Amino acid sequence: MDARPPGQKPLPVVVVGGSAGALEPLRELVAHLPADFPAALLVVIHCPPDLPSYLPQILQSAGSLPVSAVQQPAALESGHIYVAPPNRHLLVGRDEVRPSRGPRENRSRPSVDVLFRSAAYTHRASVIGVLLSGMLGDGTSGLWTIKRLGGQAIVQHPEEALYPSMPLSALQEVAVDTILPVRDIAGDLLTRLGAPNFGQGAAEMDEHEWRRLQLEVSIADEGNAFAGGILTGGDPSPFTCPECHGTMVKIQEGRTLRFRCHTGHAYSAPALLGELHRAAEANLWTTVRGMEEQVMLLDHLAKHAAEAGQLHTAELYRSEAAAVRRRIEPLRRLLWQDGALPVQPVE
């Protein structure tokens, strides 16, 4: 996916991202957009990968703009809403939009960050990013990229958001242009898109950041992260990828730290922490399961030895089984103990 050549004015693009609690705000936003909306609108809302999505039908009934689920490459047009299908990223090209099976980011496909980055890469300052309700921090990196390339950022007011984590994350790490209740976002978009200087924002991205952005957009577009040199895109990390156990690098964006592995999976720091918490709990359950299997085998051997008249051997097996049972109990108490394993929200 190549960036637009200098001097060629891109189509205005509005990218909208959200997760838990974002459906109703998104419906309200779409309901207030006019039929002659002067930009393409692209939407990523986190959704289960293995269930059908009714988001296109919901948005079509909410407003006057045509809505499409992007199942294959499609021409990018003003006054049209494009929605990411389940288990596919949504990528913005120069003149088209297309789905991708690229690696998950922040445990999600589609990912808000992927959409926002690809839009900024191809449309530069002609992008407005809108971040709605959701948990954790997907969208923060993408908004940062939009701003670094001269675009604009709008965040739903956290006090209004049903789940304020995503808006708060963006506000903490990105110099957003405005914080608004949803009822005011449509009007603000029209004002910004109609401004004489729209699309003329100055880019602040340095050469290193630009090369990394090129690579990350390529990874989302099913490119080879390792062959592309992702391991040179940041400092080595002591952590391995929770999904594939690949080597990870740390990526610094302003004050924000995130991680990407050599096969392409990416995590914000909170998302990686959540995965490590879940891995720790899964490992404890695996240990308990293995020890209970020991008990079952020892009980079986004790019964077999007793039936064979080997009473001393049977007692040794029973004694060892009792010892293993005693060792299991502290692990179970740790699993049940409130706060012993910090819990991260799951969307």
Side-chain angles (χ1 to χ4, degrees):
M1 182 186 293
D2 297 325
R4 184 176 294 272
Q8 185 178 351
K9 189 175 181 180
L11 176 74
V13 167
V14 175
V15 286
V16 182
S19 188
L23 179 57
E24 286 306 315
L26 180 59
R27 287 182 62 187
E28 184 174 354
L29 169 59
V30 168
H32 287 88
L33 297 177
D36 59 350
F37 186 66
L41 187 82
L42 299 102
V43 176
V44 160
I45 299 292
H46 293 169
C47 56
D50 51 356
L51 294 175
S53 171
Y54 297 98
L55 183 58
Q57 295 93 318
I58 292 170
L59 297 184
Q60 188 67 77
S61 66
S64 57
L65 296 179
V67 183
S68 300
V70 183
Q71 303 289 354
Q72 57 188 6
L76 194 62
E77 300 176 356
S78 290
H80 199 106
I81 299 175
Y82 303 88
V83 176
N87 206 28
R88 297 291 188 277
H89 292 308
L90 189 59
L91 297 173
V92 188
R94 287 180 289 186
D95 304 300
E96 69 170 17
V97 58
R98 61 183 177 274
S100 167
R101 286 292 303 269
R104 280 184 283 267
E105 293 206 20
N106 296 314
R107 308 193 304 264
S108 297
R109 186 172 54 217
S111 161
V112 179
D113 281 332
V114 165
L115 170 61
F116 284 15
R117 280 194 213 107
S118 71
Y121 179 62
T122 52
H123 291 255
R124 310 287 186 94
S126 295
V127 177
I128 302 176
V130 180
L131 195 62
L132 303 176
S133 171
M135 294 180 181
L136 297 179
D138 192 17
T140 295
S141 172
L143 271 188
W144 180 88
T145 303
I146 288 172
K147 290 294 294 179
R148 289 292 278 180
L149 287 171
Q152 302 177 51
I154 301 172
V155 171
Q156 181 185 7
H157 202 297
E159 292 182 2
E160 178 193 77
L162 188 59
Y163 294 90
S165 297
M166 281 173 61
L168 285 173
S169 173
L171 292 175
Q172 289 167 359
E173 307 298 341
V174 182
V176 305
D177 292 279
T178 189
I179 310 164
L180 293 172
V182 170
R183 66 178 179 272
D184 296 333
I185 292 179
D188 188 74
L189 286 173
L190 291 170
T191 299
R192 293 177 184 278
L193 291 165
N197 62 347
F198 177 77
Q200 299 177 21
E204 300 177 354
M205 185 169 283
D206 61 35
E207 185 177 351
H208 172 74
E209 292 169 345
W210 176 254
R211 287 199 304 268
R212 188 180 68 223
L213 175 60
Q214 286 181 304
L215 176 56
E216 292 199 285
V217 171
S218 170
I219 292 169
D221 201 22
E222 304 177 16
N224 188 318
F226 179 71
I230 190 60
L231 293 181
T232 64
D235 294 330
S237 165
F239 309 110
T240 57
C241 175
E243 185 158 352
C244 70
H245 307 295
T247 302
M248 300 188 82
V249 294
K250 297 181 289 186
I251 296 174
Q252 189 79 35
E253 290 178 336
R255 298 174 300 176
T256 304
L257 183 66
R258 58 188 182 90
F259 301 83
R260 190 178 284 275
C261 79
H262 76 262
T263 66
H265 304 111
Y267 298 88
S268 66
L272 179 60
L273 182 60
E275 286 299 300
L276 293 176
H277 288 157
R278 273 178 279 281
E281 181 173 348
N283 288 337
L284 281 174
W285 280 116
T286 299
T287 301
V288 169
R289 185 264 306 161
M291 295 175 76
E292 288 178 340
E293 288 179 354
Q294 289 182 51
V295 170
M296 287 188 285
L297 178 58
L298 288 166
D299 286 344
H300 177 78
L301 293 174
K303 179 181 179 182
H304 180 78
E307 290 173 350
Q310 300 171 341
L311 301 183
H312 178 68
T313 300
E315 183 57 32
L316 289 176
Y317 284 137
R318 294 190 193 100
S319 177
E320 186 174 352
V324 175
R325 285 190 177 94
R326 288 193 296 272
R327 291 196 293 272
I328 290 173
E329 287 313 304
L331 293 177
R332 284 192 166 276
R333 286 197 296 272
L334 178 60
L335 284 163
W336 301 138
Q337 183 179 345
D338 185 32
L341 293 173
V343 177
Q344 293 291 305
V346 177
E347 298 184 80

